[in-house]
Amino acid sequence: MAAPTHSLAYAGCNFLRQRLVLATLSGRPVKIRRIRARDDSPGLRDFEASFIRLMDKITNGSRIEINQTGTTLYYQPGLLYGGSVEHDCSVLRAIGYYLEALLCLAPFMKHPLKAVLRGVTNDQVDPSVDVLKATALPLLKQFGIDGESFELKIVRRGMPPGGGGEVVFSCPIKKALKPIQLTDPGKIKRIRGMAYSVRVSPQMANRIVDSARSILNKFIPDIYIYTDHMKGVNSGKSPGFGLSLIAETTNGTFLSAELASNPQGQGVTVLPEDLGRNCAKLLLEEIHRGGCVDSTNQSLALLLMTLGQQDVSKVLLGPLSPYTIEFLRHLKSFFQIMFKIETKPCGDELKGGDKVLMTCVGIGFSNLSKTLK
């Protein structure tokens, strides 16, 4: 690729996914040292090793070297190949951990990606599959990534610690991305949600819905929360319940919040009423932060803007999360790209928290792996 191919060196286990994803897209090798070097059990964790195996499956010709203790990783990326992939994700992290990386890479494959991922679909750490389906897919569509093969389907749900869930993600390939101008988030027009319960009483989901509505009904009438109770083999291996809420604005922006119950045998038991109320409050907080992209997808939007055509892209975001700030630093080192960042204090017309207007010129990234027809 056009970028210089000298290796980048990092230390520590933080932001491993960011580094590997950006290394793959830019074609630059990366070396990460001192991965939990001082920990009682040093080196890469199971879920990180599983992530590296997934990267190996979707690329062709990658070179991965890990030392014996697992504290040093050298990754020389190959070509993004795609095609049909099946992967058993580690149950220590949710499928969302792996899916976030696939969302960044899928449009730039040689063959359209069809990935079957198995593991935990909803947990308390990573974005759940429900939220990614409702927020990340519409965001990709803004950049012109669309087609009938573009879908994310939950076949089975799996809660921690046992997992047993399964999702199918398929995405078409794109030669180049459209630049975007997302500067007006619009007003909230409706709230949709999904209350799910597996291996517990189906009544749990209804109790969650009632308590969430008790808060949200004060603000807007158009609220519909679906209940999803999966039975038998589709319910995974562990009991649990949870709620994901999505607020949609008049301009097609999606803001999300979610909560899940504590894993079986860990922590105190959560009442469904409390979970519903707390999730509704989280959604209100996310709406207060605002912006055209919610906080879970900030880095995805910035990456796609960077890789767009050589044209100006603008997006209005809420306060930047620490993860996004680190991602901007990584974008600078991998792609030599800088964003213009303007703070927009909340005036009368922009209610809620302070906003940030991010502007950049795309690098004109072209999908070189895509076969010419």
Side-chain angles (χ1 to χ4, degrees), residues 240-267:
F241 53 86
L243 171 66
S244 56
L245 292 171
I246 315 292
E248 187 185 343
T249 71
T250 47
N251 290 354
T253 295
F254 294 87
L255 305 170
S256 65
E258 61 177 329
L259 272 181
S261 59
N262 287 329
Q264 187 183 17
Q266 296 173 28

mmCIF file of all heavy atoms in Angstrom, residues 240-267:
data_model
loop_
_atom_site.group_PDB
_atom_site.id
_atom_site.type_symbol
_atom_site.label_atom_id
_atom_site.label_comp_id
_atom_site.label_asym_id
_atom_site.label_seq_id
_atom_site.Cartn_x
_atom_site.Cartn_y
_atom_site.Cartn_z
ATOM 1 N N GLY A 240 -30.096 -15.589 32.307
ATOM 2 C CA GLY A 240 -29.830 -14.153 32.393
ATOM 3 C C GLY A 240 -30.917 -13.368 31.681
ATOM 4 O O GLY A 240 -31.760 -13.935 30.985
ATOM 5 N N PHE A 241 -30.887 -12.060 31.887
ATOM 6 C CA PHE A 241 -31.843 -11.183 31.199
ATOM 7 C C PHE A 241 -31.198 -9.807 31.045
ATOM 8 O O PHE A 241 -30.163 -9.522 31.662
ATOM 9 C CB PHE A 241 -33.164 -11.079 31.983
ATOM 10 C CG PHE A 241 -32.999 -10.695 33.423
ATOM 11 C CD1 PHE A 241 -32.925 -9.374 33.811
ATOM 12 C CD2 PHE A 241 -32.910 -11.675 34.408
ATOM 13 C CE1 PHE A 241 -32.768 -9.014 35.135
ATOM 14 C CE2 PHE A 241 -32.750 -11.335 35.746
ATOM 15 C CZ PHE A 241 -32.678 -10.004 36.115
ATOM 16 N N GLY A 242 -31.789 -8.983 30.207
ATOM 17 C CA GLY A 242 -31.204 -7.659 29.994
ATOM 18 C C GLY A 242 -32.082 -6.829 29.085
ATOM 19 O O GLY A 242 -33.141 -7.272 28.634
ATOM 20 N N LEU A 243 -31.627 -5.604 28.825
ATOM 21 C CA LEU A 243 -32.410 -4.664 28.032
ATOM 22 C C LEU A 243 -31.472 -3.806 27.199
ATOM 23 O O LEU A 243 -30.431 -3.360 27.687
ATOM 24 C CB LEU A 243 -33.224 -3.766 28.987
ATOM 25 C CG LEU A 243 -33.969 -2.571 28.390
ATOM 26 C CD1 LEU A 243 -35.081 -3.020 27.464
ATOM 27 C CD2 LEU A 243 -34.553 -1.701 29.504
ATOM 28 N N SER A 244 -31.816 -3.614 25.939
ATOM 29 C CA SER A 244 -31.090 -2.618 25.133
ATOM 30 C C SER A 244 -32.117 -1.632 24.584
ATOM 31 O O SER A 244 -33.178 -2.040 24.116
ATOM 32 C CB SER A 244 -30.320 -3.290 23.992
ATOM 33 O OG SER A 244 -31.183 -4.043 23.196
ATOM 34 N N LEU A 245 -31.803 -0.350 24.690
ATOM 35 C CA LEU A 245 -32.716 0.712 24.247
ATOM 36 C C LEU A 245 -32.055 1.549 23.163
ATOM 37 O O LEU A 245 -30.867 1.858 23.255
ATOM 38 C CB LEU A 245 -33.072 1.633 25.419
ATOM 39 C CG LEU A 245 -33.934 1.044 26.532
ATOM 40 C CD1 LEU A 245 -34.014 2.011 27.702
ATOM 41 C CD2 LEU A 245 -35.329 0.719 26.035
ATOM 42 N N ILE A 246 -32.816 1.895 22.142
ATOM 43 C CA ILE A 246 -32.306 2.697 21.030
ATOM 44 C C ILE A 246 -33.219 3.893 20.827
ATOM 45 O O ILE A 246 -34.426 3.730 20.664
ATOM 46 C CB ILE A 246 -32.292 1.871 19.703
ATOM 47 C CG1 ILE A 246 -31.715 0.477 19.913
ATOM 48 C CG2 ILE A 246 -31.570 2.633 18.608
ATOM 49 C CD1 ILE A 246 -30.251 0.436 20.229
ATOM 50 N N ALA A 247 -32.644 5.088 20.843
ATOM 51 C CA ALA A 247 -33.416 6.298 20.543
ATOM 52 C C ALA A 247 -33.080 6.733 19.115
ATOM 53 O O ALA A 247 -31.909 6.834 18.764
ATOM 54 C CB ALA A 247 -33.054 7.401 21.524
ATOM 55 N N GLU A 248 -34.120 6.964 18.318
ATOM 56 C CA GLU A 248 -33.904 7.375 16.920
ATOM 57 C C GLU A 248 -34.318 8.835 16.765
ATOM 58 O O GLU A 248 -35.352 9.251 17.289
ATOM 59 C CB GLU A 248 -34.734 6.493 15.983
ATOM 60 C CG GLU A 248 -34.432 6.755 14.521
ATOM 61 C CD GLU A 248 -35.344 5.975 13.582
ATOM 62 O OE1 GLU A 248 -35.998 5.005 14.019
ATOM 63 O OE2 GLU A 248 -35.403 6.355 12.408
ATOM 64 N N THR A 249 -33.505 9.605 16.039
ATOM 65 C CA THR A 249 -33.831 11.026 15.857
ATOM 66 C C THR A 249 -34.451 11.264 14.484
ATOM 67 O O THR A 249 -34.457 10.377 13.630
ATOM 68 C CB THR A 249 -32.567 11.906 15.974
ATOM 69 O OG1 THR A 249 -31.768 11.681 14.809
ATOM 70 C CG2 THR A 249 -31.764 11.590 17.209
ATOM 71 N N THR A 250 -34.935 12.480 14.303
ATOM 72 C CA THR A 250 -35.596 12.845 13.040
ATOM 73 C C THR A 250 -34.628 12.774 11.860
ATOM 74 O O THR A 250 -35.049 12.614 10.721
ATOM 75 C CB THR A 250 -36.158 14.272 13.135
ATOM 76 O OG1 THR A 250 -35.140 15.110 13.694
ATOM 77 C CG2 THR A 250 -37.384 14.312 14.023
ATOM 78 N N ASN A 251 -33.309 12.888 12.116
ATOM 79 C CA ASN A 251 -32.332 12.845 11.018
ATOM 80 C C ASN A 251 -31.659 11.480 10.866
ATOM 81 O O ASN A 251 -30.615 11.379 10.234
ATOM 82 C CB ASN A 251 -31.261 13.919 11.221
ATOM 83 C CG ASN A 251 -31.824 15.309 11.014
ATOM 84 O OD1 ASN A 251 -32.977 15.446 10.625
ATOM 85 N ND2 ASN A 251 -31.043 16.330 11.269
ATOM 86 N N GLY A 252 -32.236 10.467 11.488
ATOM 87 C CA GLY A 252 -31.691 9.125 11.290
ATOM 88 C C GLY A 252 -30.457 8.799 12.115
ATOM 89 O O GLY A 252 -29.664 7.951 11.744
ATOM 90 N N THR A 253 -30.285 9.498 13.243
ATOM 91 C CA THR A 253 -29.203 9.172 14.175
ATOM 92 C C THR A 253 -29.737 8.186 15.215
ATOM 93 O O THR A 253 -30.894 8.294 15.619
ATOM 94 C CB THR A 253 -28.738 10.468 14.884
ATOM 95 O OG1 THR A 253 -28.171 11.327 13.916
ATOM 96 C CG2 THR A 253 -27.721 10.185 15.956
ATOM 97 N N PHE A 254 -28.902 7.258 15.633
ATOM 98 C CA PHE A 254 -29.326 6.274 16.633
ATOM 99 C C PHE A 254 -28.429 6.371 17.863
ATOM 100 O O PHE A 254 -27.203 6.305 17.745
ATOM 101 C CB PHE A 254 -29.249 4.859 16.055
ATOM 102 C CG PHE A 254 -30.221 4.612 14.933
ATOM 103 C CD1 PHE A 254 -29.884 4.927 13.631
ATOM 104 C CD2 PHE A 254 -31.472 4.081 15.185
ATOM 105 C CE1 PHE A 254 -30.773 4.718 12.585
ATOM 106 C CE2 PHE A 254 -32.370 3.870 14.153
ATOM 107 C CZ PHE A 254 -32.024 4.185 12.851
ATOM 108 N N LEU A 255 -29.045 6.516 19.030
ATOM 109 C CA LEU A 255 -28.295 6.548 20.292
ATOM 110 C C LEU A 255 -28.729 5.346 21.130
ATOM 111 O O LEU A 255 -29.913 5.009 21.164
ATOM 112 C CB LEU A 255 -28.581 7.841 21.052
ATOM 113 C CG LEU A 255 -28.318 9.136 20.276
ATOM 114 C CD1 LEU A 255 -28.860 10.332 21.025
ATOM 115 C CD2 LEU A 255 -26.825 9.305 20.027
ATOM 116 N N SER A 256 -27.777 4.724 21.821
ATOM 117 C CA SER A 256 -28.127 3.458 22.470
ATOM 118 C C SER A 256 -27.680 3.410 23.922
ATOM 119 O O SER A 256 -26.767 4.123 24.341
ATOM 120 C CB SER A 256 -27.458 2.307 21.720
ATOM 121 O OG SER A 256 -26.056 2.423 21.841
ATOM 122 N N ALA A 257 -28.349 2.537 24.679
ATOM 123 C CA ALA A 257 -27.924 2.220 26.048
ATOM 124 C C ALA A 257 -28.342 0.788 26.327
ATOM 125 O O ALA A 257 -29.322 0.301 25.749
ATOM 126 C CB ALA A 257 -28.589 3.160 27.041
ATOM 127 N N GLU A 258 -27.608 0.115 27.186
ATOM 128 C CA GLU A 258 -27.977 -1.277 27.483
ATOM 129 C C GLU A 258 -27.476 -1.684 28.858
ATOM 130 O O GLU A 258 -26.527 -1.114 29.398
ATOM 131 C CB GLU A 258 -27.376 -2.224 26.436
ATOM 132 C CG GLU A 258 -25.864 -2.172 26.402
ATOM 133 C CD GLU A 258 -25.283 -3.173 25.422
ATOM 134 O OE1 GLU A 258 -25.890 -4.221 25.234
ATOM 135 O OE2 GLU A 258 -24.213 -2.888 24.888
ATOM 136 N N LEU A 259 -28.142 -2.686 29.413
ATOM 137 C CA LEU A 259 -27.714 -3.287 30.673
ATOM 138 C C LEU A 259 -28.030 -4.778 30.631
ATOM 139 O O LEU A 259 -28.996 -5.204 29.999
ATOM 140 C CB LEU A 259 -28.456 -2.657 31.860
ATOM 141 C CG LEU A 259 -27.853 -1.402 32.501
ATOM 142 C CD1 LEU A 259 -28.720 -0.962 33.661
ATOM 143 C CD2 LEU A 259 -26.439 -1.654 32.994
ATOM 144 N N ALA A 260 -27.212 -5.558 31.331
ATOM 145 C CA ALA A 260 -27.463 -6.996 31.429
ATOM 146 C C ALA A 260 -27.361 -7.408 32.897
ATOM 147 O O ALA A 260 -26.693 -6.740 33.694
ATOM 148 C CB ALA A 260 -26.451 -7.779 30.590
ATOM 149 N N SER A 261 -28.027 -8.504 33.238
ATOM 150 C CA SER A 261 -27.982 -8.988 34.623
ATOM 151 C C SER A 261 -26.594 -9.552 34.928
ATOM 152 O O SER A 261 -25.822 -9.884 34.031
ATOM 153 C CB SER A 261 -29.034 -10.076 34.812
ATOM 154 O OG SER A 261 -28.782 -11.141 33.913
ATOM 155 N N ASN A 262 -26.273 -9.657 36.219
ATOM 156 C CA ASN A 262 -24.985 -10.237 36.623
ATOM 157 C C ASN A 262 -24.915 -11.697 36.200
ATOM 158 O O ASN A 262 -25.923 -12.406 36.264
ATOM 159 C CB ASN A 262 -24.801 -10.142 38.142
ATOM 160 C CG ASN A 262 -24.519 -8.726 38.574
ATOM 161 O OD1 ASN A 262 -23.917 -7.959 37.831
ATOM 162 N ND2 ASN A 262 -24.957 -8.348 39.759
ATOM 163 N N PRO A 263 -23.731 -12.185 35.782
ATOM 164 C CA PRO A 263 -23.612 -13.599 35.416
ATOM 165 C C PRO A 263 -23.967 -14.511 36.595
ATOM 166 O O PRO A 263 -23.802 -14.117 37.750
ATOM 167 C CB PRO A 263 -22.131 -13.756 35.045
ATOM 168 C CG PRO A 263 -21.655 -12.387 34.755
ATOM 169 C CD PRO A 263 -22.476 -11.458 35.588
ATOM 170 N N GLN A 264 -24.452 -15.688 36.253
ATOM 171 C CA GLN A 264 -24.878 -16.644 37.282
ATOM 172 C C GLN A 264 -23.735 -16.916 38.266
ATOM 173 O O GLN A 264 -22.619 -17.228 37.872
ATOM 174 C CB GLN A 264 -25.286 -17.957 36.597
ATOM 175 C CG GLN A 264 -25.905 -18.974 37.536
ATOM 176 C CD GLN A 264 -26.209 -20.261 36.794
ATOM 177 O OE1 GLN A 264 -25.680 -20.478 35.705
ATOM 178 N NE2 GLN A 264 -27.039 -21.109 37.348
ATOM 179 N N GLY A 265 -24.041 -16.758 39.553
ATOM 180 C CA GLY A 265 -23.043 -17.060 40.579
ATOM 181 C C GLY A 265 -22.035 -15.958 40.814
ATOM 182 O O GLY A 265 -21.062 -16.149 41.535
ATOM 183 N N GLN A 266 -22.225 -14.787 40.197
ATOM 184 C CA GLN A 266 -21.282 -13.671 40.414
ATOM 185 C C GLN A 266 -22.056 -12.434 40.828
ATOM 186 O O GLN A 266 -23.023 -12.056 40.181
ATOM 187 C CB GLN A 266 -20.504 -13.353 39.124
ATOM 188 C CG GLN A 266 -19.607 -14.481 38.659
ATOM 189 C CD GLN A 266 -19.004 -14.181 37.298
ATOM 190 O OE1 GLN A 266 -18.809 -13.038 36.939
ATOM 191 N NE2 GLN A 266 -18.712 -15.220 36.541
ATOM 192 N N GLY A 267 -21.613 -11.804 41.893
ATOM 193 C CA GLY A 267 -22.240 -10.557 42.327
ATOM 194 C C GLY A 267 -23.631 -10.770 42.886
ATOM 195 O O GLY A 267 -24.116 -11.901 43.006
#
